[in-house]
Amino acid sequence: MDTVIIHGKAFKIAYTEQEILNAVKKIADRINRDMAGKNPLFLAVLNGAFVFAADLLRMITIPCEISFVKLASYQGTLSTGKIKEVIGINEDLTNRTVVILEDIVESGFTMKRMMETLGTRNPKSIHVCTLLHKPDRLEVDINMEYIAMKIPNNFIVGYGLDYDGQGRNLRNIYSIIEE
């Protein structure tokens, strides 16, 4: 499918599944080198990062653990700017190496909030790993060590990212076709 229709809006392929997996593999290889001997705890941000987290974790060869947190800041095609923590973190993070897995970082507000929340739990270190980053949208200074793909400021869907709940199951990443 070169184009898909979701909630009446047309989307075209921006990145194929193979391009995405190649980028994920490069990040996994770096994490495997950088985190050797550290037993990192990966915290995947639901719902969007579940596909990315699954693919990335299958490429991680070092001992590690994974857990999930759910934060919400989107409604439709726009960020609401309000971040609601829906599901918290139950693990003891004291002296742990934590790697946050995010599907996309745009403004950075969600990631900043996540890092502040985790920082109160005394981790040894916090690292950010995102599948996608929109550098033109970043409004907060955050250190993202692992960025699989830098993309333009287009609304996208697929590979875990949704448009009002639809499209997460698409294997490719699609970009909205402006009318």
Side-chain angles (χ1 to χ4, degrees), residues 39-55:
N39 188 32
L41 171 63
F42 290 95
L43 287 178
V45 181
L46 295 174
N47 289 338
F50 80 99
V51 175
F52 171 50
D55 285 344

PDB file of all heavy atoms in Angstrom, residues 39-55:
ATOM      1  N   ASN A  39      23.487  -4.029  32.318  1.00  0.00           N
ATOM      2  CA  ASN A  39      22.133  -4.557  32.531  1.00  0.00           C
ATOM      3  C   ASN A  39      21.085  -3.441  32.558  1.00  0.00           C
ATOM      4  O   ASN A  39      20.420  -3.217  33.571  1.00  0.00           O
ATOM      5  CB  ASN A  39      22.065  -5.377  33.822  1.00  0.00           C
ATOM      6  CG  ASN A  39      20.738  -6.096  33.969  1.00  0.00           C
ATOM      7  OD1 ASN A  39      20.106  -6.497  32.997  1.00  0.00           O
ATOM      8  ND2 ASN A  39      20.279  -6.260  35.198  1.00  0.00           N
ATOM      9  N   PRO A  40      20.923  -2.717  31.449  1.00  0.00           N
ATOM     10  CA  PRO A  40      19.995  -1.581  31.448  1.00  0.00           C
ATOM     11  C   PRO A  40      18.535  -2.013  31.600  1.00  0.00           C
ATOM     12  O   PRO A  40      18.156  -3.122  31.214  1.00  0.00           O
ATOM     13  CB  PRO A  40      20.223  -0.936  30.079  1.00  0.00           C
ATOM     14  CG  PRO A  40      20.730  -2.043  29.219  1.00  0.00           C
ATOM     15  CD  PRO A  40      21.540  -2.925  30.140  1.00  0.00           C
ATOM     16  N   LEU A  41      17.765  -1.096  32.170  1.00  0.00           N
ATOM     17  CA  LEU A  41      16.317  -1.250  32.221  1.00  0.00           C
ATOM     18  C   LEU A  41      15.746  -0.356  31.128  1.00  0.00           C
ATOM     19  O   LEU A  41      15.901   0.862  31.180  1.00  0.00           O
ATOM     20  CB  LEU A  41      15.763  -0.823  33.580  1.00  0.00           C
ATOM     21  CG  LEU A  41      14.231  -0.729  33.672  1.00  0.00           C
ATOM     22  CD1 LEU A  41      13.579  -2.099  33.443  1.00  0.00           C
ATOM     23  CD2 LEU A  41      13.815  -0.141  35.010  1.00  0.00           C
ATOM     24  N   PHE A  42      15.136  -0.965  30.135  1.00  0.00           N
ATOM     25  CA  PHE A  42      14.478  -0.216  29.069  1.00  0.00           C
ATOM     26  C   PHE A  42      13.060   0.102  29.525  1.00  0.00           C
ATOM     27  O   PHE A  42      12.337  -0.787  29.978  1.00  0.00           O
ATOM     28  CB  PHE A  42      14.438  -1.037  27.772  1.00  0.00           C
ATOM     29  CG  PHE A  42      15.788  -1.216  27.139  1.00  0.00           C
ATOM     30  CD1 PHE A  42      16.541  -2.350  27.381  1.00  0.00           C
ATOM     31  CD2 PHE A  42      16.302  -0.239  26.295  1.00  0.00           C
ATOM     32  CE1 PHE A  42      17.783  -2.518  26.799  1.00  0.00           C
ATOM     33  CE2 PHE A  42      17.550  -0.400  25.707  1.00  0.00           C
ATOM     34  CZ  PHE A  42      18.296  -1.536  25.963  1.00  0.00           C
ATOM     35  N   LEU A  43      12.678   1.370  29.429  1.00  0.00           N
ATOM     36  CA  LEU A  43      11.323   1.801  29.746  1.00  0.00           C
ATOM     37  C   LEU A  43      10.674   2.282  28.461  1.00  0.00           C
ATOM     38  O   LEU A  43      11.007   3.353  27.952  1.00  0.00           O
ATOM     39  CB  LEU A  43      11.329   2.933  30.775  1.00  0.00           C
ATOM     40  CG  LEU A  43      11.679   2.566  32.198  1.00  0.00           C
ATOM     41  CD1 LEU A  43      11.678   3.807  33.071  1.00  0.00           C
ATOM     42  CD2 LEU A  43      10.711   1.536  32.751  1.00  0.00           C
ATOM     43  N   ALA A  44       9.778   1.475  27.924  1.00  0.00           N
ATOM     44  CA  ALA A  44       9.105   1.818  26.673  1.00  0.00           C
ATOM     45  C   ALA A  44       7.859   2.646  26.981  1.00  0.00           C
ATOM     46  O   ALA A  44       7.076   2.296  27.862  1.00  0.00           O
ATOM     47  CB  ALA A  44       8.716   0.549  25.924  1.00  0.00           C
ATOM     48  N   VAL A  45       7.707   3.742  26.261  1.00  0.00           N
ATOM     49  CA  VAL A  45       6.569   4.635  26.457  1.00  0.00           C
ATOM     50  C   VAL A  45       5.426   4.158  25.567  1.00  0.00           C
ATOM     51  O   VAL A  45       5.533   4.148  24.346  1.00  0.00           O
ATOM     52  CB  VAL A  45       6.946   6.096  26.137  1.00  0.00           C
ATOM     53  CG1 VAL A  45       5.749   7.009  26.365  1.00  0.00           C
ATOM     54  CG2 VAL A  45       8.127   6.545  26.994  1.00  0.00           C
ATOM     55  N   LEU A  46       4.340   3.750  26.226  1.00  0.00           N
ATOM     56  CA  LEU A  46       3.163   3.268  25.508  1.00  0.00           C
ATOM     57  C   LEU A  46       2.268   4.437  25.132  1.00  0.00           C
ATOM     58  O   LEU A  46       2.302   5.472  25.769  1.00  0.00           O
ATOM     59  CB  LEU A  46       2.374   2.298  26.397  1.00  0.00           C
ATOM     60  CG  LEU A  46       3.098   1.004  26.747  1.00  0.00           C
ATOM     61  CD1 LEU A  46       2.268   0.199  27.754  1.00  0.00           C
ATOM     62  CD2 LEU A  46       3.372   0.170  25.519  1.00  0.00           C
ATOM     63  N   ASN A  47       1.466   4.324  24.089  1.00  0.00           N
ATOM     64  CA  ASN A  47       1.298   3.147  23.280  1.00  0.00           C
ATOM     65  C   ASN A  47       2.263   3.125  22.094  1.00  0.00           C
ATOM     66  O   ASN A  47       2.575   2.079  21.556  1.00  0.00           O
ATOM     67  CB  ASN A  47      -0.127   3.081  22.727  1.00  0.00           C
ATOM     68  CG  ASN A  47      -1.154   2.762  23.793  1.00  0.00           C
ATOM     69  OD1 ASN A  47      -0.857   2.212  24.830  1.00  0.00           O
ATOM     70  ND2 ASN A  47      -2.376   3.113  23.540  1.00  0.00           N
ATOM     71  N   GLY A  48       2.709   4.280  21.689  1.00  0.00           N
ATOM     72  CA  GLY A  48       3.435   4.410  20.430  1.00  0.00           C
ATOM     73  C   GLY A  48       4.713   3.632  20.290  1.00  0.00           C
ATOM     74  O   GLY A  48       5.057   3.186  19.204  1.00  0.00           O
ATOM     75  N   ALA A  49       5.470   3.452  21.366  1.00  0.00           N
ATOM     76  CA  ALA A  49       6.795   2.837  21.247  1.00  0.00           C
ATOM     77  C   ALA A  49       6.778   1.319  21.315  1.00  0.00           C
ATOM     78  O   ALA A  49       7.830   0.693  21.248  1.00  0.00           O
ATOM     79  CB  ALA A  49       7.722   3.393  22.327  1.00  0.00           C
ATOM     80  N   PHE A  50       5.612   0.695  21.399  1.00  0.00           N
ATOM     81  CA  PHE A  50       5.597  -0.765  21.588  1.00  0.00           C
ATOM     82  C   PHE A  50       6.201  -1.514  20.414  1.00  0.00           C
ATOM     83  O   PHE A  50       6.903  -2.504  20.607  1.00  0.00           O
ATOM     84  CB  PHE A  50       4.190  -1.277  21.931  1.00  0.00           C
ATOM     85  CG  PHE A  50       3.259  -1.440  20.774  1.00  0.00           C
ATOM     86  CD1 PHE A  50       3.056  -2.679  20.199  1.00  0.00           C
ATOM     87  CD2 PHE A  50       2.572  -0.342  20.266  1.00  0.00           C
ATOM     88  CE1 PHE A  50       2.180  -2.836  19.127  1.00  0.00           C
ATOM     89  CE2 PHE A  50       1.702  -0.488  19.200  1.00  0.00           C
ATOM     90  CZ  PHE A  50       1.510  -1.732  18.633  1.00  0.00           C
ATOM     91  N   VAL A  51       5.979  -1.092  19.188  1.00  0.00           N
ATOM     92  CA  VAL A  51       6.544  -1.789  18.023  1.00  0.00           C
ATOM     93  C   VAL A  51       8.061  -1.568  17.981  1.00  0.00           C
ATOM     94  O   VAL A  51       8.836  -2.509  17.804  1.00  0.00           O
ATOM     95  CB  VAL A  51       5.874  -1.324  16.708  1.00  0.00           C
ATOM     96  CG1 VAL A  51       6.541  -1.958  15.495  1.00  0.00           C
ATOM     97  CG2 VAL A  51       4.385  -1.657  16.723  1.00  0.00           C
ATOM     98  N   PHE A  52       8.465  -0.326  18.152  1.00  0.00           N
ATOM     99  CA  PHE A  52       9.887   0.019  18.191  1.00  0.00           C
ATOM    100  C   PHE A  52      10.590  -0.772  19.294  1.00  0.00           C
ATOM    101  O   PHE A  52      11.652  -1.368  19.076  1.00  0.00           O
ATOM    102  CB  PHE A  52      10.035   1.528  18.394  1.00  0.00           C
ATOM    103  CG  PHE A  52      11.437   2.004  18.667  1.00  0.00           C
ATOM    104  CD1 PHE A  52      12.504   1.619  17.871  1.00  0.00           C
ATOM    105  CD2 PHE A  52      11.686   2.863  19.731  1.00  0.00           C
ATOM    106  CE1 PHE A  52      13.796   2.075  18.126  1.00  0.00           C
ATOM    107  CE2 PHE A  52      12.964   3.331  19.986  1.00  0.00           C
ATOM    108  CZ  PHE A  52      14.022   2.932  19.187  1.00  0.00           C
ATOM    109  N   ALA A  53      10.005  -0.795  20.488  1.00  0.00           N
ATOM    110  CA  ALA A  53      10.605  -1.504  21.614  1.00  0.00           C
ATOM    111  C   ALA A  53      10.757  -2.990  21.310  1.00  0.00           C
ATOM    112  O   ALA A  53      11.804  -3.587  21.599  1.00  0.00           O
ATOM    113  CB  ALA A  53       9.769  -1.297  22.876  1.00  0.00           C
ATOM    114  N   ALA A  54       9.741  -3.586  20.720  1.00  0.00           N
ATOM    115  CA  ALA A  54       9.801  -5.018  20.399  1.00  0.00           C
ATOM    116  C   ALA A  54      10.913  -5.309  19.399  1.00  0.00           C
ATOM    117  O   ALA A  54      11.710  -6.245  19.596  1.00  0.00           O
ATOM    118  CB  ALA A  54       8.456  -5.489  19.848  1.00  0.00           C
ATOM    119  N   ASP A  55      10.992  -4.527  18.340  1.00  0.00           N
ATOM    120  CA  ASP A  55      12.037  -4.749  17.339  1.00  0.00           C
ATOM    121  C   ASP A  55      13.427  -4.474  17.911  1.00  0.00           C
ATOM    122  O   ASP A  55      14.363  -5.245  17.695  1.00  0.00           O
ATOM    123  CB  ASP A  55      11.793  -3.887  16.097  1.00  0.00           C
ATOM    124  CG  ASP A  55      10.668  -4.426  15.229  1.00  0.00           C
ATOM    125  OD1 ASP A  55      10.270  -5.600  15.405  1.00  0.00           O
ATOM    126  OD2 ASP A  55      10.181  -3.676  14.361  1.00  0.00           O
TER     127      ASP A  55
END
